[in-house]
Amino acid sequence: MAQATRVFCRNFSSSSSRFGNIKHVTVIGAGLMGAGIAQVAASTGHQVVIVDQTDDILSKSKATIEKSLQRVAGETFIAEVMGRLTIKTDAAAAVKNTDLVIEAIVENLEVKKKLFSSLDKAAPKHTIFTSNTSSIPIKDIAVATQRQDRFGGLHFFNPVPIMKLLEVIRIPATSDETFDKLLGFGKAMDKSTVNCKDTPGFIVNRLLVPYMMEAIRMVERGEASPQDVDTAMKLGAGYPMGPFELTDYVGLDTCKFIIDGWHKKYPDNPLFMPSPLLDKLVSEGKLGNKTGEGFYKQKK
Ligand SMILES: CC(=O)CC(=O)SCCNC(=O)CCNC(=O)[C@H](O)C(C)(C)COP(=O)(O)OP(=O)(O)OC[C@H]1O[C@@H](n2cnc3c(N)ncnc32)[C@H](O)[C@@H]1OP(=O)(O)O
Ligand SMILES: NC(=O)C1=CN([C@@H]2O[C@H](COP(=O)(O)OP(=O)(O)OC[C@H]3O[C@@H](n4cnc5c(N)ncnc54)[C@H](O)[C@@H]3O)[C@@H](O)[C@H]2O)C=CC1
């Protein structure tokens, strides 16, 4: 049995998580990442509320979580996990009784700030706020709140149930107590944590995103096809996915949000140059696996 499967079949007490501090978690954004984070949090014994804009999105997200669990767990465990998950469209109401907020909404600073500013008024004093942002400085989001000492970054990787890493990010204002609680939460989620400073892309994306962008530029320059680049990186460098498969997997819109944000902030860095091909595909609604087509057409 693979490690991922073992993690999911462990028996956690249904009334509390294994590491005392953080028991109740609110995940805001029920998309690709939010669903995965909620699944793992509930599977590791946390009470979880998932928040999104409509009941329809939330129902689909719950169905995705259930389907994902069915790949690795039995009926009883799935029923327990699903019993720890509730859904809400009202974010302010959801955080009234929560220990930790994990935000996983669209990669847009103003939207994230607006959300946190309203949550700050609604959440209890002890509640820790975190963002799963791929590329936005955590401190730029935290300024929307009066609790910068209880603010940090928890950056998960896609697919969350399988990827073992969790980047834990602190800003200068993050208190030691908050940071320790976040590291403890990472352990409770069965993730391996690395400590990150609030630098662009933290560790993984600072290396991975320029690599994905350079692969796209290689195709733009007519040097190779996406298929050949993917085959080359899988068979020649041992990567589980080629960069085009990975860009489709992450979402072309998310990749564009990341690179555009960095380019705006660091216009002279050639690694952060936007790509006309990526822009074109996004403008055509070809966002990758989530829309059925990106660099590749998904098989039905
Ligand atoms: C943009 C950002 O900010 C940051 C990012 O996330 S960047 C993106 C990072 N992610 C990556 O780089 C992913 C690269 N790709 C991969 O690692 C792999 O292709 C992959 C993990 C996605 C799929 O690998 P695969 O071998 O084809 O998967 P698959 O065979 O379906 O499953 C592998 C194991 O996980 C288990 N698993 C699958 N789905 C699962 C689920 N939903 N929950 C728990 N376990 C699951 C499977 O049961 C399987 O275990 P066994 O070996 O016991 O069967
Ligand atoms: N896609 C990836 O591989 C990774 C993405 N991230 C980051 O995670 C975050 C979410 O990304 P994805 O899950 O891929 O996006 P997604 O597009 O799949 O999901 C985002 C969800 O947020 C919801 N949403 C938007 N605004 C909202 C609001 N104000 N209140 C409540 N819900 C709202 C949307 O309806 C949608 O369901 C982004 O910040 C992204 O950069 C981090 C790691 C990996």
Side-chain angles (χ1 to χ4, degrees):
M1 192 189 273
Q3 195 175 23
T5 313
R6 283 200 303 273
V7 166
F8 276 82
C9 295
R10 257 180 229 161
N11 203 6
F12 297 108
S13 140
S14 57
S15 59
S16 68
S17 61
R18 288 170 297 153
F19 295 80
N21 285 329
I22 291 170
K23 295 193 172 90
H24 187 291
V25 180
T26 302
V27 178
I28 312 211
L32 200 58
M33 295 305 290
I37 295 166
Q39 177 186 327
V40 178
S43 298
T44 49
H46 302 86
Q47 290 296 324
V48 181
V49 184
I50 320 176
V51 179
D52 208 302
Q53 302 176 104
T54 66
D55 284 321
D56 188 42
I57 298 174
L58 285 163
S59 306
K60 281 191 185 131
S61 185
K62 255 191 119 174
T64 304
I65 293 173
E66 193 155 9
K67 207 167 147 207
S68 172
L69 286 166
Q70 280 161 1
R71 292 186 59 171
V72 288
E75 237 173 75
T76 312
F77 183 75
I78 295 173
E80 270 179 35
V81 173
M82 296 311 287
R84 285 194 282 271
L85 278 173
T86 48
I87 52 176
K88 275 200 167 74
T89 49
D90 183 347
V95 300
K96 281 223 158 6
N97 202 3
T98 203
D99 302 316
L100 174 69
V101 171
I102 306 175
E103 168 274 310
I105 67 168
V106 63
E107 187 72 342
N108 177 301
L109 175 60
E110 290 316 313
V111 182
K112 287 185 194 287
K113 278 172 75 176
K114 192 166 165 230
L115 172 73
F116 276 115
S117 160
S118 73
L119 296 184
D120 197 28
K121 294 173 192 94
K125 198 164 169 267
H126 80 279
T127 307
I128 298 176
F129 285 0
T130 64
S131 174
N132 180 54
T133 176
S134 300
S135 63
I136 299 172
I138 302 293
K139 67 173 171 11
D140 291 0
I141 308 171
V143 292
T145 72
Q146 304 296 316
R147 61 178 81 209
Q148 296 190 37
D149 57 322
R150 281 149 289 149
F151 209 111
L154 286 178
H155 187 223
F156 292 85
F157 293 84
N158 178 24
V160 183
I162 302 179
M163 304 305 278
K164 279 298 295 174
L165 185 68
L166 174 63
E167 292 181 329
V168 184
I169 302 112
R170 72 184 301 167
I171 56 175
T174 310
S175 70
D176 289 344
E177 189 190 346
T178 298
F179 195 65
D180 288 346
K181 281 186 182 170
L182 293 179
L183 291 173
F185 175 70
K187 242 188 198 172
M189 292 274 278
D190 260 309
K191 298 297 180 195
S192 296
T193 56
V194 288
N195 300 1
C196 293
K197 291 191 175 161
D198 193 20
T199 52
F202 318 121
I203 297 175
V204 172
N205 282 349
R206 181 64 180 81
L207 298 172
L208 195 59
V209 174
Y211 151 75
M212 289 153 82
M213 292 305 296
E214 188 54 18
I216 300 172
R217 287 186 207 105
M218 190 177 245
V219 168
E220 282 175 332
R221 293 192 298 265
E223 293 167 6
S225 68
Q227 290 83 352
D228 281 349
V229 173
D230 281 353
T231 302
M233 293 313 290
K234 285 188 285 187
L235 303 187
Y239 287 21
M241 284 178 171
F244 292 95
E245 288 168 331
L246 188 58
T247 306
D248 275 2
Y249 197 67
V250 165
L252 273 64
D253 51 343
T254 299
C255 294
K256 180 171 159 52
F257 284 133
I258 297 173
I259 208 68
D260 287 354
W262 288 353
H263 178 61
K264 201 168 158 203
K265 227 170 166 177
Y266 308 98
D268 298 330
N269 189 333
L271 294 176
F272 300 160
M273 291 304 281
S275 142
L277 177 55
L278 181 67
D279 292 351
K280 177 175 172 287
L281 290 169
V282 171
S283 73
E284 291 167 357
K286 294 175 182 164
L287 307 183
N289 295 10
K290 61 178 141 185
T291 58
E293 186 172 356
F295 287 98
Y296 297 107
K297 252 199 175 109
Q298 307 304 314
K299 289 186 201 102
K300 296 250 169 191

